[in-house]
Amino acid sequence: PTLKQRRLDLAHTAACMLEKSHLIRYDRRSGALQATPLGRISSQYYISHTSMALYSRHLRSNMSDIELLRLFSLSGEFAHITVREEEKLELAKLAAKVPIPVKESPSEPSAKINILLQAYISRLKLDGFALVSDMAFIQQSAARIMRALFEIALRRNWAGL
């Protein structure tokens, strides 16, 4: 295969992935790409296609706060966050203090993200330094991800969410 063919294959594969995530409409014959409203939200708020596919599948108009925070914590942007052994005790303490209960065990990464987001919103102090860097990353990402979720709800005319 030539370099040109390789580039065309990569572009086609990427377009198929974006189409599967409902971010674009892709005409395979002509190669034309057209952004969808979900795709525009994704690009405006720098949200990965995996996260947008997750939101598209699981976001509902009647979600509770617990479910919404759980959906946030499952975002692909947080895939590299892990729970370290020295954090488990502090996460358990924070889980008892946060206003919205967390269903998962504090040893799961999604629970850690949920707990740290609620701790940030509630202005809870962190005892040790183990969680500070993850808290900063979650804090920086929270505004744009929540805004993207809000925009999706607006586009779907879900005023109640």
Side-chain angles (χ1 to χ4, degrees):
T2 64
L3 182 58
K4 182 178 180 181
Q5 186 58 45
R6 175 73 176 137
R7 288 191 315 234
L8 287 171
D9 290 345
L10 285 173
H12 172 74
T13 304
C16 288
M17 288 173 57
L18 293 174
E19 184 179 40
K20 188 178 177 186
S21 299
H22 306 288
L23 301 180
I24 63 169
R25 284 185 205 87
Y26 175 46
D27 182 5
R28 286 172 171 71
R29 264 187 262 131
S30 68
L33 304 173
Q34 183 180 6
T36 63
L38 209 56
R40 286 187 195 91
I41 293 169
S42 175
S43 68
Q44 185 175 4
Y45 295 104
Y46 301 101
I47 307 294
S48 70
H49 71 92
T50 54
S51 293
M52 290 302 281
L54 178 81
Y55 305 153
S56 185
R57 275 194 316 273
H58 297 290
L59 195 63
R60 296 184 322 273
S61 62
N62 58 348
M63 288 181 85
S64 66
D65 291 343
I66 294 171
E67 294 168 321
L68 192 60
L69 287 173
R70 185 169 191 281
L71 182 62
F72 171 88
S73 68
L74 294 173
S75 296
E77 282 71 14
F78 304 121
H80 68 280
I81 290 184
T82 59
V83 179
R84 295 179 277 283
E85 195 61 42
E86 63 270 12
E87 298 171 340
K88 289 182 180 178
L89 180 62
E90 188 173 359
L91 282 171
K93 288 179 188 174
L94 283 172
K97 294 179 184 177
V98 294
I100 299 172
V102 178
K103 291 180 182 178
E104 300 85 21
S105 161
S107 60
E108 292 182 37
S110 62
K112 175 182 178 178
I113 294 158
N114 193 337
I115 291 167
L116 289 177
L117 176 66
Q118 290 189 59
Y120 168 67
I121 293 170
S122 302
R123 296 184 180 189
L124 299 176
K125 295 286 184 204
L126 299 180
D127 293 334
F129 295 105
L131 296 172
V132 172
S133 64
D134 287 334
M135 168 76 102
F137 179 70
I138 291 166
Q139 172 186 342
Q140 291 167 355
S141 302
R144 70 184 170 79
I145 293 172
M146 286 298 187
R147 181 62 195 216
L149 290 170
F150 174 71
E151 291 282 341
I152 293 169
L154 277 181
R155 293 256 191 255
R156 294 179 179 177
N157 295 321
W158 292 345
L161 185 65

